[in-house]
Amino acid sequence: MQTLKSVWDFFQNEILGMKWLNQLVGNLLETCGLSTETRLGGSVQFFIYDVIKIMVLLGALILAVSYIQSYFPPERTKKY
């Protein structure tokens, strides 16, 4: 049961929460010389992280909707 909980925690934090992306953006900004501990650095990190996260989620949503729409042509929808 503990293994299942640890797998779920990993999936929730790293995959769904995109914690890895936040760390990656933070490391990239630190490499560029902008500290993420300051207000400006934290704001830039948050902005870049959120833009990437929203684009990935929108892409996944558009892909899912397009896939679903391919199974329901307009003729079938009009019939209902």
Side-chain angles (χ1 to χ4, degrees), residues 4 6 9 18-20 22 31 34-36 38 42 45 48 51 55 71 74-75:
L4 185 61
S6 64
D9 287 341
M18 293 189 180
K19 191 175 183 180
W20 60 272
N22 197 14
T31 303
L34 185 62
S35 174
T36 57
T38 63
Q45 179 185 12
I48 293 173
V51 166
M55 290 300 159
Y71 284 106
E75 297 81 26

Side-chain angles (χ1 to χ4, degrees), residues 1-78:
M1 187 67 175
Q2 183 65 23
T3 305
L4 185 61
K5 184 181 180 329
S6 64
V7 167
W8 175 253
D9 287 341
F10 175 79
F11 179 73
Q12 188 174 10
N13 292 331
E14 296 295 330
I15 306 300
L16 296 178
M18 293 189 180
K19 191 175 183 180
W20 60 272
L21 180 61
N22 197 14
Q23 292 172 350
L24 180 69
V25 170
N27 291 341
L28 181 67
L29 290 176
E30 292 284 340
T31 303
C32 292
L34 185 62
S35 174
T36 57
E37 300 298 320
T38 63
R39 292 178 99 179
L40 177 65
S43 299
V44 171
Q45 179 185 12
F46 177 75
F47 178 76
I48 293 173
Y49 164 72
D50 260 9
V51 166
I52 294 171
K53 182 176 73 170
I54 289 170
M55 290 300 159
V56 168
L57 293 175
L58 277 175
L61 184 67
I62 290 170
L63 180 70
V65 168
S66 299
Y67 187 73
I68 291 170
Q69 281 182 340
S70 69
Y71 284 106
F72 295 106
E75 297 81 26
R76 183 184 293 177
T77 308
K78 287 178 185 176

